[in-house]
């Protein structure tokens, strides 16, 4: 296990439906960790999609590549001794497993943020749930969170 900065580095991977509260919870956890002098970094869809992954769309292939890149960045941050929090829909089990395999045992913690579909839909400001419900994104709903 990697220890830097007097802490055990790791990835806390928050996953769940759009509107589930992944980023909100990850932000709260990060604030709690900061309050006890832990060195952290939060990666979420908004900060990654506007920079590192701005060239990617929302096809299945692009979604897998998005998560692969996030996993590689998270691994580098773990190597540097940080506690990395991520908040991504990441509905495909295989992509979460891919990220897990980049890290040493005990460095990847998956947190599924369970939210009733109706609640997630009411919070879904970005649209993936409505698109899926209207049949425009069948792959998203077909592969919904095999955890």
């Amino acid at each position: 296990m990697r220890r830097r900065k007097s802490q055990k580095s790791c990835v806390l991977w928050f996953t769940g439906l759009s509107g589930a509260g992944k980023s909100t919870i990850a932000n709260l956890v990060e604030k709690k960790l900061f309050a006890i002098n832990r060195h952290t970094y939060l990666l979420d869809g908004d900060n990654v999609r506007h920079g590192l992954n701005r060239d990617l769309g929302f096809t299945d292939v692009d979604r897998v590549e998005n998560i692969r890149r996030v996993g590689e960045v998270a691994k580098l941050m773990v190597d540097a001794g940080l506690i990395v929090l991520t908040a991504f829909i990441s509905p495909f089990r295989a992509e979460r497993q891919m990220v897990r395999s980049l890290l040493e045992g005990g460095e990847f913690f998956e947190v599924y943020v369970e939210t009733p579909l109706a609640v997630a839909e009411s919070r879904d400001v970005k649209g993936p749930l409505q698109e899926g419900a209207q049949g425009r994104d069948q792959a998203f709903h077909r592969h919904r969170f095999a955890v």
Side-chain angles (χ1 to χ4, degrees):
M1 291 184 214
R2 300 170 203 172
R3 289 197 173 271
R4 309 261 193 285
K5 304 178 182 297
S6 301
Q7 67 185 28
K8 180 184 176 293
S9 56
C10 66
V11 172
L12 303 176
W13 190 277
F14 293 85
T15 186
L17 293 171
S18 180
K22 299 173 300 297
S23 293
T24 301
I25 293 169
N27 273 295
L28 290 170
V29 171
E30 186 182 35
K31 286 179 183 177
K32 295 282 188 181
L33 290 168
F34 182 80
I36 59 170
N37 297 317
R38 297 296 180 251
H39 300 259
T40 64
Y41 196 86
L42 174 60
L43 296 168
D44 68 18
D46 292 334
N47 68 13
V48 172
R49 285 264 184 198
H50 294 323
L52 177 69
N53 292 344
R54 71 176 166 262
D55 61 321
L56 299 176
F58 292 92
T59 66
D60 285 355
V61 171
D62 284 351
R63 287 177 177 175
V64 170
E65 178 61 13
N66 180 55
I67 297 304
R68 187 196 69 77
R69 291 180 191 180
V70 169
E72 293 290 349
V73 169
K75 179 181 184 285
L76 292 172
M77 292 179 168
V78 166
D79 287 344
L82 298 177
I83 297 169
V84 184
L85 300 93
T86 72
F88 291 91
I89 295 172
S90 54
F92 304 118
R93 178 182 289 161
E95 62 190 26
R96 296 189 310 269
Q97 182 56 41
M98 172 185 56
V99 175
R100 182 182 277 112
S101 72
L102 295 172
L103 301 160
E104 294 178 10
E107 289 183 339
F108 182 92
F109 299 93
E110 185 174 317
V111 180
Y112 177 65
V113 180
E114 186 173 359
T115 305
L117 183 57
V119 173
E121 285 175 335
S122 73
R123 297 177 184 161
D124 183 28
V125 296
K126 296 171 192 155
L129 291 176
Q130 284 85 16
E131 289 175 10
Q134 295 171 7
R136 290 193 298 257
D137 194 352
Q138 291 302 314
F140 179 79
H141 280 277
R142 189 174 58 247
H143 297 289
R144 228 173 34 201
F145 305 98
V147 289

